[in-house]
Amino acid sequence: VLQVRIHGRGGQGVVTAAELLSVAAFADGRHAQAFPSFGSERTGAPVVSFCRIDDEPIRAREPIAEPDALIVQDPTLLHQVDLFAGLDPSGSILINSSRSFEELGIGELIGRYARNRLLTVPATDLAREHLGRPLPNAALLGGFAALSDAVSIESVARAIRERFGGRVGAGNVAAAQHAFRYVQREIEALAHA
Amino acid sequence: MLEQIEGSAAVARTVARCRPEVVAAYPISPQTHIVEGLSDMVRTGELDGCEYLMVESEFAAMSACIGASATGARAYTATASQGLLYMAEALYNASGLGLPIVMTLANRAIGAPINIWNDHSDSMSQRDSGWIQLYAESNQEAADLHPQAFRLAEELSLPVMVCMDGFILTHAYEEVDLPSQEQVDDFVGPFDASQALDPADPVTIGALVGPEAFTEVKYLMHAKQMQALDAIPVIAAEFAEAFGRESGGLIRGYRTDDAETVVVALGSVLGTIAEVVDELREEGARIGALGVRCFRPYPLEEVRTALSDAERVIVIEKAFAVGAGGIVGQNTRLALSGLPVRVHDVVAGLGGRPVTKKSLRSLFDDVFADRLEADRLHFLDLKRDVVERELERMRRSPGPHAESILRDLGMVAARSH
């Protein structure tokens, strides 16, 4: 089972991101379960959502305390919430930022995890460019499809299009595809570094 | 068709395919998405021939369902928590009048302290209201229980409450095989009301009944609810035949053959329990689980038979009777009376506290090692240090526990008292 935890703030589409990830994994023929950290979260407050992806039907319903992958939608949470709690040493981290891990002040993570599993993608910038709004969730899912083999970018695009439709859907798909290519290039650059 | 869908949406769409003629509801978390879904389907015409009543309260919602059902219309509502309490008086009227209303309850805790998260204190508070209570383990089962609930309600002229864990199920996206309209039409059929108010042929229902007949009316109500113990397995078997999957029924065992220890629970926690059972089985422990799918009427004989070969039973329940103990635990003990089976009563998951595999594992290990006293109430993951500090503080100064403990845990900074 692959367990993904998504951190962000109320209003950034954190719950929607987990739902879309589960829909994409389902479209790829996997079993998936997505759920929010249940609460009365307000706009701007830290929010967590979860997604499990497996080849077997999923029965466990506990929150994900030991994720295999983290998606961080808002880098301002880095010094406010213990984002990396329970993350497996072989785990992956994808952070929404135009800056590097070193520039974000979390360079010490680099020794603890595989370097090619720690990536940033400027998802908010990409969303502004393609969607005209600073909503990073769809772009991050595109980036995640490049970082993880859990979902295909085609299924991520399909899930986004089904949820939003029209211009908003197309903009989000474009942002996701752009982020996918961006993260792919990052991984290639790290492989040649 | 198999879809990756939110639990609430799966329930709303399945309920729509049961063709309710009146839906009267008032929004309350975590049930809101269900009635929003239904109101959308009425607006777009996807749910044809249905009147959606946006009422001013839960009391009005149930009252409108009672009125609709009494005229022979198929009536549905959904609520949670304080909403169910606000309906309480009308719940007894619906059951007392024998009206086949179906309700989805998105299980949520009851305050005070105010809490919007999941446990079973809402449905358990109304367990004796005369409604049949079915508990769903997954979103597939939550959806599947609705066609069965309408069948059961209309066959027996009794209201049925389908309980599904709030947030844990209602807000979870997972795969659900949604039944088609044709399948549901074949299974549920049209509502042929056995009693219907008709201006052309006036009758009275809801008469005043004095001491001369009240006992007899109540006796018959009990007898009718007990008939559900026969009807539910028949309907579940017909469902399995028609839809090709097991859903509902009275109880369902998981790896209980040869089990020395059986864990009894209701609702979605059964999934997490099954995971732990599998882990322990791998290590050679003889453990299984028993899901109670129908809590009212209580399937006493079935529970007794399922548990009679066990040495010990661990009841995990998401509510309790303050000052008395476990509710499912007490019913389990009743089912086992006279048998040499130890029963451990454990309250877990109150007010949304996650029931984790780790905590369950540690609880079962305590039971195996005889570290958990039988016949007294235990609270899973109780923060004893917090309780001790609060009791110590109470000796110095009075004040409400809720605010004081939140301060102790650093959740709020303001002084409460």
Side-chain angles (χ1 to χ4, degrees):
Chain A
V1 59
L2 179 88
Q3 306 200 95
V4 185
R5 197 167 67 202
I6 306 177
H7 293 269
R9 293 183 183 278
Q12 290 177 336
V14 178
V15 175
T16 305
E19 292 170 358
L20 291 175
L21 185 58
S22 84
V23 171
F26 174 77
D28 282 334
R30 316 281 305 272
H31 296 281
Q33 174 201 57
F35 54 104
S37 68
F38 320 113
S40 49
E41 276 85 7
R42 291 90 51 211
T43 300
V47 175
V48 185
S49 64
F50 309 95
C51 183
R52 288 192 174 93
I53 300 171
D54 204 349
D55 292 322
E56 304 293 321
I58 297 162
R59 297 179 299 183
R61 298 198 179 272
E62 60 184 347
I64 295 171
E66 293 172 352
D68 304 296
L70 288 178
I71 298 175
V72 180
Q73 295 199 166
D74 191 327
T76 64
L77 289 166
L78 285 169
H79 304 288
Q80 185 183 350
V81 178
D82 185 10
L83 298 180
F84 310 108
L87 181 66
D88 192 89
S90 64
S92 315
I93 304 176
L94 182 64
I95 299 179
N96 169 22
S97 178
S98 52
R99 297 193 284 168
S100 68
F101 274 65
E102 291 83 353
E103 288 166 334
L104 286 166
I106 48 170
E108 84 279 2
L109 283 175
I110 288 171
R112 284 198 267 149
Y113 299 94
R115 185 62 191 95
N116 63 349
R117 315 292 289 166
L118 304 182
L119 297 164
T120 60
V121 61
T124 304
D125 296 345
L126 296 179
R128 270 207 197 90
E129 180 186 337
H130 294 282
L131 185 66
R133 295 177 64 195
L135 284 171
N137 57 353
L140 279 158
L141 293 183
F144 186 72
L147 169 60
S148 161
D149 53 9
V151 283
S152 65
I153 183 65
E154 292 76 21
S155 290
V156 166
R158 192 174 129 187
I160 294 169
R161 221 176 277 120
E162 277 174 16
R163 169 65 76 99
F164 298 108
R167 203 179 58 80
V168 175
N172 273 308
V173 168
Q177 284 164 340
H178 193 156
F180 178 79
R181 293 190 300 274
Y182 183 98
V183 172
Q184 266 189 332
R185 279 198 301 274
E186 264 186 301
I187 293 170
E188 280 163 23
L190 284 167
H192 296 117
Chain B
M1 195 176 93
L2 198 62
E3 287 184 47
Q4 184 76 9
I5 186 172
E6 191 200 32
S8 295
V11 166
R13 284 170 57 185
T14 309
V15 166
R17 285 166 195 175
C18 296
R19 300 188 190 274
E21 293 163 286
V22 172
V23 174
Y26 190 79
I28 179 171
S29 280
Q31 147 271 25
T32 307
H33 292 182
I34 299 173
V35 295
E36 277 177 356
L38 282 162
S39 106
D40 265 351
M41 284 183 274
V42 171
R43 181 179 53 82
T44 60
E46 185 182 339
L47 172 50
D48 199 21
C50 176
E51 187 158 354
Y52 185 95
L53 299 171
M54 173 64 196
V55 289
E56 83 282 7
S57 72
E58 287 84 358
F59 181 82
M62 185 48 63
S63 300
C65 284
I66 288 172
S69 187
T71 63
R74 186 172 279 164
Y76 169 86
T77 189
T79 193
S81 184
Q82 323 288 133
L84 185 71
L85 294 194
Y86 199 14
M87 273 184 191
E89 182 182 344
L91 290 179
Y92 280 75
N93 284 327
S95 62
L97 296 172
L99 297 172
I101 299 161
V102 170
M103 160 160 59
T104 311
L105 187 75
N107 282 108
R108 165 182 150 183
I110 284 176
I114 188 164
N115 175 296
I116 67 156
W117 293 268
N118 165 255
D119 71 26
H120 290 169
S121 49
D122 51 2
S123 55
M124 284 297 160
S125 81
Q126 300 305 315
R127 67 189 182 275
D128 301 327
S129 62
W131 282 61
I132 289 169
Q133 285 193 339
L134 310 175
Y135 287 78
E137 176 177 337
S138 62
N139 282 332
Q140 181 70 63
E141 189 160 54
D144 290 346
L145 283 175
H146 285 87
Q148 298 190 48
F150 280 107
R151 269 280 302 275
L152 180 66
E154 291 167 12
E155 207 168 293
L156 294 178
S157 271
L158 271 180
V160 179
M161 197 183 293
V162 176
C163 305
M164 65 187 293
D165 284 312
F167 294 110
I168 297 173
L169 291 182
T170 54
H171 287 53
Y173 259 67
E174 57 189 33
E175 61 195 44
V176 177
D177 194 352
L178 287 173
S180 69
Q181 186 63 63
E182 294 70 34
Q183 280 179 308
V184 177
D185 282 343
D186 284 349
F187 185 77
V188 178
F191 176 30
D192 183 14
S194 59
Q195 54 174 22
L197 291 176
D198 178 1
D201 180 18
V203 292
T204 298
I205 69 167
L208 175 77
V209 173
E212 70 287 347
F214 193 77
T215 303
E216 287 67 33
V217 173
K218 285 288 167 182
Y219 172 87
L220 289 166
M221 211 176 137
H222 176 66
K224 190 158 74 168
Q225 213 193 70
M226 297 302 275
Q227 284 175 22
L229 293 175
D230 296 324
I232 288 168
V234 173
I235 290 173
E238 282 179 34
F239 184 90
E241 169 122 8
F243 294 83
R245 57 181 175 268
E246 302 271 334
S247 269
L250 297 172
I251 58 169
R252 202 174 317 141
Y254 181 71
R255 304 188 82 166
T256 48
D257 291 345
D258 85 342
E260 291 169 350
T261 306
V262 179
V263 185
V264 173
L266 281 62
S268 69
V269 75
L270 283 161
T272 312
I273 290 171
E275 293 274 313
V276 181
V277 164
D278 283 358
E279 278 177 25
L280 287 165
R281 279 273 175 186
E282 290 265 309
E283 295 165 24
R286 285 162 62 185
I287 185 168
L290 183 74
V292 179
R293 319 260 150 187
C294 168
F295 189 65
R296 284 293 181 271
Y298 184 64
L300 189 109
E301 286 302 325
E302 288 77 7
V303 171
R304 184 180 175 87
T305 306
L307 298 178
S308 58
D309 292 331
E311 283 175 22
R312 57 197 163 207
V313 167
I314 306 169
V315 179
I316 309 264
E317 54 183 314
K318 289 186 171 183
F320 70 107
V322 179
I327 300 164
V328 183
Q330 285 167 358
N331 281 264
T332 308
R333 280 203 182 78
L334 187 66
L336 291 172
S337 57
L339 294 176
V341 185
R342 260 177 299 154
V343 179
H344 298 273
D345 237 329
V346 183
V347 178
L350 292 186
R353 179 164 297 179
V355 181
T356 64
K357 287 202 284 183
K358 196 173 160 192
S359 295
L360 288 172
R361 178 67 203 244
S362 134
L363 168 74
F364 300 161
D365 285 342
D366 281 348
V367 172
F368 296 151
D370 282 326
R371 287 191 295 262
L372 197 79
E373 212 181 314
D375 300 320
R376 59 172 287 246
L377 192 64
H378 297 271
F379 289 78
L380 190 70
D381 295 332
L382 180 71
K383 295 174 181 168
R384 289 200 175 277
D385 53 334
V386 172
V387 172
E388 303 280 330
R389 279 202 297 276
E390 176 62 6
L391 290 174
E392 176 59 32
R393 185 197 64 79
M394 284 294 287
R395 279 191 273 280
R396 296 192 307 270
S397 68
H401 292 315
E403 289 71 11
S404 160
I405 288 179
L406 287 181
R407 252 196 332 276
D408 179 52
L409 293 173
M411 307 286 285
V412 290
R415 274 179 58 84
S416 63
H417 191 72

